[in-house]
Tab-separated table of all heavy atoms in Angstrom:
chain	number	residue	atom	x	y	z
A	83	ASP	N	29.812	-18.927	89.520
A	83	ASP	CA	28.591	-19.690	89.823
A	83	ASP	C	28.012	-19.110	91.138
A	83	ASP	O	28.555	-19.375	92.209
A	83	ASP	CB	28.910	-21.170	89.952
A	83	ASP	CG	27.689	-22.027	90.189
A	83	ASP	OD1	26.567	-21.486	90.047
A	83	ASP	OD2	27.833	-23.228	90.446
A	84	LEU	N	26.961	-18.345	91.010
A	84	LEU	CA	26.345	-17.675	92.161
A	84	LEU	C	25.240	-18.543	92.760
A	84	LEU	O	24.435	-19.108	92.045
A	84	LEU	CB	25.788	-16.336	91.727
A	84	LEU	CG	26.811	-15.385	91.038
A	84	LEU	CD1	26.112	-14.109	90.583
A	84	LEU	CD2	27.953	-15.079	91.964
A	85	PHE	N	25.214	-18.603	94.109
A	85	PHE	CA	24.352	-19.521	94.840
A	85	PHE	C	24.708	-20.977	94.420
A	85	PHE	O	23.858	-21.746	94.044
A	85	PHE	CB	22.874	-19.255	94.562
A	85	PHE	CG	22.440	-17.857	94.880
A	85	PHE	CD1	22.363	-16.873	93.903
A	85	PHE	CD2	22.083	-17.480	96.182
A	85	PHE	CE1	21.956	-15.588	94.190
A	85	PHE	CE2	21.650	-16.198	96.483
A	85	PHE	CZ	21.608	-15.241	95.478
A	86	SER	N	25.975	-21.290	94.563
A	86	SER	CA	26.518	-22.538	93.976
A	86	SER	C	26.110	-23.793	94.737
A	86	SER	O	26.205	-24.899	94.190
A	86	SER	CB	28.027	-22.459	93.925
A	86	SER	OG	28.563	-22.467	95.262
A	87	GLY	N	25.704	-23.654	96.004
A	87	GLY	CA	25.451	-24.862	96.809
A	87	GLY	C	26.727	-25.681	96.922
A	87	GLY	O	27.823	-25.178	97.054
A	88	SER	N	26.559	-27.018	96.803
A	88	SER	CA	27.707	-27.896	96.938
A	88	SER	C	28.374	-28.225	95.625
A	88	SER	O	29.217	-29.100	95.559
A	88	SER	CB	27.250	-29.210	97.607
A	88	SER	OG	26.845	-28.974	98.936
A	89	GLY	N	27.952	-27.550	94.544
A	89	GLY	CA	28.676	-27.697	93.282
A	89	GLY	C	27.890	-28.355	92.155
A	89	GLY	O	28.487	-28.858	91.213
A	90	THR	N	26.555	-28.327	92.227
A	90	THR	CA	25.722	-28.943	91.196
A	90	THR	C	26.172	-28.514	89.799
A	90	THR	O	26.276	-29.334	88.876
A	90	THR	CB	24.266	-28.594	91.399
A	90	THR	OG1	23.834	-29.098	92.673
A	90	THR	CG2	23.374	-29.175	90.318
A	91	PHE	N	26.397	-27.220	89.586
A	91	PHE	CA	26.828	-26.706	88.307
A	91	PHE	C	28.325	-26.419	88.303
A	91	PHE	O	29.005	-26.577	87.282
A	91	PHE	CB	26.069	-25.432	87.953
A	91	PHE	CG	24.590	-25.603	87.879
A	91	PHE	CD1	23.728	-24.696	88.449
A	91	PHE	CD2	24.029	-26.698	87.246
A	91	PHE	CE1	22.347	-24.849	88.384
A	91	PHE	CE2	22.655	-26.891	87.153
A	91	PHE	CZ	21.802	-25.955	87.734
A	92	THR	N	28.881	-26.026	89.444
A	92	THR	CA	30.309	-25.652	89.517
A	92	THR	C	31.195	-26.758	88.981
A	92	THR	O	32.089	-26.520	88.149
A	92	THR	CB	30.705	-25.331	90.972
A	92	THR	OG1	29.907	-24.247	91.452
A	92	THR	CG2	32.164	-24.972	91.050
A	93	LEU	N	30.967	-27.960	89.463
A	93	LEU	CA	31.908	-29.038	89.147
A	93	LEU	C	31.755	-29.540	87.717
A	93	LEU	O	32.769	-29.778	87.036
A	93	LEU	CB	31.774	-30.158	90.177
A	93	LEU	CG	32.260	-29.658	91.562
A	93	LEU	CD1	31.764	-30.554	92.694
A	93	LEU	CD2	33.780	-29.558	91.590
A	94	PRO	N	30.570	-29.688	87.189
A	94	PRO	CA	30.508	-29.942	85.731
A	94	PRO	C	31.087	-28.831	84.897
A	94	PRO	O	31.742	-29.110	83.871
A	94	PRO	CB	28.978	-30.086	85.484
A	94	PRO	CG	28.434	-30.555	86.782
A	94	PRO	CD	29.257	-29.839	87.807
A	95	LEU	N	30.897	-27.560	85.307
A	95	LEU	CA	31.484	-26.443	84.582
A	95	LEU	C	33.027	-26.512	84.601
A	95	LEU	O	33.671	-26.101	83.645
A	95	LEU	CB	31.040	-25.128	85.225
A	95	LEU	CG	29.619	-24.628	84.906
A	95	LEU	CD1	29.204	-23.541	85.869
A	95	LEU	CD2	29.533	-24.138	83.468
A	96	ALA	N	33.563	-27.052	85.664
A	96	ALA	CA	35.036	-27.109	85.818
A	96	ALA	C	35.695	-28.037	84.823
A	96	ALA	O	36.898	-28.040	84.701
A	96	ALA	CB	35.397	-27.502	87.238
A	97	SER	N	34.894	-28.822	84.112
A	97	SER	CA	35.434	-29.628	83.013
A	97	SER	C	35.754	-28.788	81.811
A	97	SER	O	36.463	-29.206	80.900
A	97	SER	CB	34.485	-30.746	82.633
A	97	SER	OG	34.400	-31.726	83.640
A	98	HIS	N	35.247	-27.536	81.801
A	98	HIS	CA	35.378	-26.686	80.616
A	98	HIS	C	36.035	-25.343	80.890
A	98	HIS	O	36.532	-24.713	79.977
A	98	HIS	CB	33.980	-26.410	80.041
A	98	HIS	CG	33.197	-27.643	79.738
A	98	HIS	ND1	33.269	-28.298	78.553
A	98	HIS	CD2	32.312	-28.345	80.531
A	98	HIS	CE1	32.474	-29.383	78.584
A	98	HIS	NE2	31.872	-29.413	79.762
A	99	ALA	N	36.023	-24.855	82.150
A	99	ALA	CA	36.534	-23.535	82.447
A	99	ALA	C	36.939	-23.425	83.885
A	99	ALA	O	36.582	-24.282	84.728
A	99	ALA	CB	35.444	-22.479	82.123
A	100	ASP	N	37.667	-22.389	84.228
A	100	ASP	CA	37.920	-22.044	85.646
A	100	ASP	C	36.622	-21.527	86.228
A	100	ASP	O	35.876	-20.763	85.576
A	100	ASP	CB	38.997	-20.978	85.761
A	100	ASP	CG	40.385	-21.434	85.372
A	100	ASP	OD1	40.557	-22.672	85.180
A	100	ASP	OD2	41.276	-20.598	85.203
A	101	VAL	N	36.309	-21.894	87.455
A	101	VAL	CA	35.048	-21.521	88.081
A	101	VAL	C	35.277	-20.949	89.468
A	101	VAL	O	36.071	-21.470	90.248
A	101	VAL	CB	34.062	-22.715	88.168
A	101	VAL	CG1	32.690	-22.251	88.610
A	101	VAL	CG2	33.984	-23.457	86.855
A	102	HIS	N	34.556	-19.866	89.774
A	102	HIS	CA	34.536	-19.301	91.129
A	102	HIS	C	33.124	-19.503	91.684
A	102	HIS	O	32.155	-18.994	91.144
A	102	HIS	CB	34.892	-17.824	91.076
A	102	HIS	CG	34.960	-17.182	92.431
A	102	HIS	ND1	35.831	-17.628	93.414
A	102	HIS	CD2	34.265	-16.126	92.995
A	102	HIS	CE1	35.668	-16.869	94.506
A	102	HIS	NE2	34.712	-15.966	94.272
A	103	ALA	N	33.030	-20.272	92.762
A	103	ALA	CA	31.741	-20.629	93.383
A	103	ALA	C	31.473	-19.717	94.572
A	103	ALA	O	32.348	-19.536	95.434
A	103	ALA	CB	31.739	-22.058	93.805
A	104	VAL	N	30.288	-19.167	94.623
A	104	VAL	CA	29.893	-18.250	95.701
A	104	VAL	C	28.630	-18.786	96.367
A	104	VAL	O	27.637	-19.053	95.669
A	104	VAL	CB	29.665	-16.813	95.185
A	104	VAL	CG1	29.416	-15.865	96.375
A	104	VAL	CG2	30.845	-16.334	94.387
A	105	GLU	N	28.671	-18.944	97.684
A	105	GLU	CA	27.570	-19.551	98.428
A	105	GLU	C	27.614	-19.061	99.872
A	105	GLU	O	28.717	-18.792	100.387
A	105	GLU	CB	27.695	-21.089	98.372
A	105	GLU	CG	26.884	-21.902	99.346
A	105	GLU	CD	25.396	-21.714	99.163
A	105	GLU	OE1	24.913	-21.707	97.993
A	105	GLU	OE2	24.690	-21.546	100.187
A	106	ALA	N	26.450	-18.929	100.493
A	106	ALA	CA	26.416	-18.397	101.872
A	106	ALA	C	26.744	-19.446	102.921
A	106	ALA	O	27.190	-19.103	104.024
A	106	ALA	CB	25.026	-17.802	102.152
């Protein structure tokens, strides 16, 4: 998840897959 912020998509995605979040 690129430009992930605080996890808007990362955390819902984590219900389905392993996720690597990248944010500045």
Side-chain angles (χ1 to χ4, degrees):
D83 184 10
L84 304 177
F85 302 97
S86 68
S88 295
T90 299
F91 301 135
T92 300
L93 293 163
L95 282 166
S97 290
H98 306 273
D100 291 349
V101 189
H102 183 59
V104 186
E105 165 62 43

